[in-house]
Amino acid sequence: MTTLVFVHGWSVTNTSTYGALPQRLQQQAVASGMVLDVADLWLSEYVSFDDAVTMGDLVRAFDHALRDLHLIDASFACVTHSTGGPVVREWLRAQREKPGAYSTIRLSHLVMLAPANFGSALAQIGKSVLGRMRSWWNGVEPGQRILDWLALGSAASLSLNIDHIHGGDPADKGQFLFVLTGDRPDRSMYDHINSYTGEDGSDGVVRIAAANLNACHAVFTRKAFTANGDTLSLNLTRAPRSAFKLIPGASHSGDAQGIMAAAPATTVDAVLRCLRVVDSASYAQLCDAFEAENAQRDADKVELEPVGPFSPRVHIHDPRSLLIVRLTDEAGETLQDSRFLLSAGTPPNPDWMPQGFMLDRQANSRTPNVISFFLNHALLAGDHRVADPTNSRKTLRAAISGHRPYTASVQPLDLDGLVHHALASMDTGDDLFTAWGPHQTTVLDVVLPRKVHEGVFRLTQKLAPEDFSNPVPGAVIG
């Protein structure tokens, strides 16, 4: 007997947001003969549109609401949409870190539909004047504190995700996480004021890579110092394997293509496949199956969008990668106004990067030393010729070769003074491509050495007054 809890996304004010998904899941479970009795089905109603509400407030309130379910076996399964995924994941972390303050109710299956696990590029737009105007028009506040969490590269989202990357495998403890996300926007819902709503590589709100929990944490640390600057070595940590599936043709929301509201048969089938998982072995099998299905989708990646009497618009749904770069020094000080450059080939050259590889970049408004780069993984890796699906003899894009190895360098603004930083570049023996995955996010911490000169603090035995308002820097402290 399973209790199934549905958790909606940001700024929802009506349970109609769940569409027909709960009912269709119940019906299909019975029709497929599953040994799954959805005895209790609960729809969440949580407030994210109040500017005072924080992610921590939602976590506490969610925990309180769960205590009223009177679960027979003290466990439940959960299906979330969009921001609902991070809400439940933050609750799971609170359970682990504060066992005395949070309930011991066990979550067995967390099925996340289009989760904004690494945030959304739309979050900062939602905080803008336009976002406030729309919220005012709808009679609610924009939910600033939740939007702060959802902004790409926010400290809160990175904290949660890096904990996940370095943590143990939840499947080993009988807790199974799944991400199902649409592979394209609903073109009819495109907002001409905001191009992110029609962005390929997303579902119109959340980028595919930002939903996926199969992520990597990369760290640049000093390897050596030369006359030309610091050499940085690359260290990688990968997250535990998570089940991830693309739902072809599904978008973030909407009654026509919405992954939840439209309740397409592919979503219903995938959710039930997730709920059938009972142990680590069956979880691994589903991960394998989803990977094979994603590969089939990636091979059939051309979308021809009808444009009335004109030639259709061509969308090549290449796998994308999200690279979130944090620039700091070894003392934890942020490096603002520093240039982060990607280079290709040997010797490294920024001009040799593949044409069109950079799709977007966005600095976090609260921590401008954190920058998110949206990259075309297929162009970086190299790709076969892409043919027109209606005429195989017509080439939409010629074959492209990769330009590996890829490296990075940092040009700090402060290159001299009593305290400063030096130019830094990757060790040419490393290849940053190894940290990038298709449809995946990489968090890259660039940690530069802090050059502190002996002139910052000196001792003297000269008892006569001496002016040191213009100190001589002297050597760098070792």
Side-chain angles (χ1 to χ4, degrees):
M1 184 172 292
T2 301
T3 296
L4 192 58
V5 176
F6 288 79
V7 181
H8 60 72
W10 168 75
S11 202
V12 169
T13 58
N14 195 298
T15 56
S16 63
T17 189
Y18 297 109
L21 182 61
Q23 294 88 339
R24 290 183 183 173
L25 278 175
Q26 282 185 312
Q27 295 165 0
Q28 191 59 37
V30 174
S32 63
M34 282 183 57
V35 185
L36 173 67
D37 180 15
V38 184
D40 293 313
L41 193 152
W42 297 83
L43 304 182
S44 299
E45 299 177 353
Y46 74 85
V47 175
S48 63
F49 46 80
D50 186 313
D51 286 347
V53 174
T54 67
M55 183 64 81
D57 296 333
L58 292 180
V59 168
R60 289 179 58 190
F62 178 59
D63 187 75
H64 177 77
L66 289 175
R67 297 170 189 262
D68 294 332
L69 293 185
H70 306 295
L71 301 172
I72 293 177
D73 59 355
S75 69
F76 71 105
C78 194
V79 176
T80 68
H81 181 243
S82 194
T83 305
V87 169
V88 178
R89 290 182 60 219
E90 285 282 20
W91 173 75
L92 289 173
R93 180 165 69 159
Q95 263 196 327
R96 293 192 303 270
E97 295 182 350
K98 302 175 183 177
Y102 287 84
S103 66
T104 57
I105 297 171
R106 189 177 72 87
L107 176 61
S108 59
H109 297 69
L110 175 56
V111 184
M112 294 171 275
L113 307 180
N117 282 320
F118 283 88
S120 168
L122 281 168
Q124 290 195 170
I125 306 299
K127 292 162 61 179
S128 70
V129 174
L130 177 61
R132 290 195 296 272
M133 287 175 62
R134 288 182 173 175
S135 297
W136 173 82
W137 184 263
N138 293 326
V140 298
E141 295 177 343
Q144 296 284 354
R145 306 295 292 278
I146 304 304
L147 284 172
D148 285 341
W149 195 104
L150 291 171
L152 290 175
S154 75
S157 69
L158 291 180
S159 172
L160 176 65
N161 288 303
I162 289 177
D163 279 358
H164 171 73
I165 292 171
H166 290 273
D169 189 345
D172 291 341
K173 300 179 293 184
Q175 191 172 79
F176 308 108
L177 308 184
F178 312 85
V179 170
L180 314 176
T181 192
D183 71 341
R184 67 196 59 190
D186 183 344
R187 307 294 174 190
S188 67
M189 299 179 68
Y190 177 69
D191 183 342
H192 294 276
I193 298 177
N194 181 3
S195 61
Y196 285 131
T197 59
E199 184 180 51
D200 289 336
S202 80
D203 62 4
V205 174
V206 175
R207 291 168 175 168
I208 295 171
N212 196 352
L213 286 178
N214 293 293
C216 177
H217 184 206
V219 181
F220 282 166
T221 55
R222 182 171 64 174
K223 180 178 182 180
F225 175 73
T226 66
N228 296 323
D230 291 307
T231 300
L232 306 176
S233 60
L234 177 64
N235 303 280
L236 300 178
T237 303
R238 301 190 185 280
R241 190 186 189 195
S242 293
F244 171 74
K245 177 170 173 58
L246 295 169
I247 306 295
S251 63
H252 194 80
S253 55
D255 296 333
Q257 293 178 223
I259 191 170
M260 181 172 71
T266 46
T267 297
V268 175
D269 176 69
V271 172
L272 292 178
R273 291 167 71 187
C274 295
L275 295 177
R276 288 192 187 101
V277 169
V278 294
D279 52 29
S280 294
S282 58
Y283 183 70
Q285 290 175 356
L286 187 59
C287 289
D288 291 340
F290 281 173
E291 282 188 13
E293 292 159 19
N294 292 340
Q296 289 181 340
R297 175 270 179 198
D298 285 343
D300 182 22
K301 61 183 178 181
V302 177
E303 176 192 359
L304 300 178
E305 178 191 358
V307 190
F310 307 104
S311 299
R313 294 191 185 100
V314 176
H315 299 273
I316 301 176
H317 292 283
D318 289 324
R320 269 78 168 174
S321 299
L322 182 62
L323 175 64
I324 302 176
V325 179
R326 296 194 294 190
L327 299 170
T328 62
D329 68 17
E330 59 194 359
E333 295 291 324
T334 62
L335 299 178
Q336 298 186 28
D337 301 317
S338 296
R339 296 185 66 196
F340 177 81
L341 296 175
L342 293 172
S343 299
T346 305
N349 190 330
D351 294 332
W352 292 349
M353 294 297 294
Q355 185 176 4
F357 84 96
M358 178 74 71
L359 303 171
D360 182 62
R361 55 187 167 192
Q362 185 183 95
N364 186 275
S365 61
R366 291 191 175 273
T367 51
N369 67 305
V370 181
I371 308 167
S372 297
F373 299 90
F374 197 37
L375 312 176
N376 188 316
H377 187 273
L379 298 185
L380 292 165
D383 197 24
H384 300 293
R385 165 183 174 269
V386 178
D388 187 327
T390 64
N391 180 2
S392 61
R393 299 177 63 182
K394 181 180 178 181
T395 298
L396 297 179
R397 187 176 70 197
I400 299 170
S401 60
H403 294 183
R404 298 176 65 178
Y406 297 109
T407 54
S409 60
V410 182
Q411 299 177 357
L413 187 65
D414 57 334
L415 295 176
D416 53 31
L418 285 171
V419 179
H420 66 93
H421 304 87
L423 298 174
S425 57
M426 270 182 68
D427 187 340
T428 54
D430 290 330
D431 185 355
L432 193 53
F433 187 82
T434 60
W436 295 331
H439 307 304
Q440 294 181 14
T441 294
T442 298
V443 179
L444 173 59
D445 278 317
V446 179
V447 184
L448 295 190
R450 188 174 177 87
K451 312 296 184 181
V452 180
H453 289 255
E454 62 184 14
V456 169
F457 198 114
R458 286 191 173 102
L459 298 175
T460 180
Q461 290 185 311
K462 298 178 181 179
L463 300 184
E466 183 178 15
D467 180 15
F468 61 93
S469 59
N470 294 301
V472 175
V476 174
I477 297 173

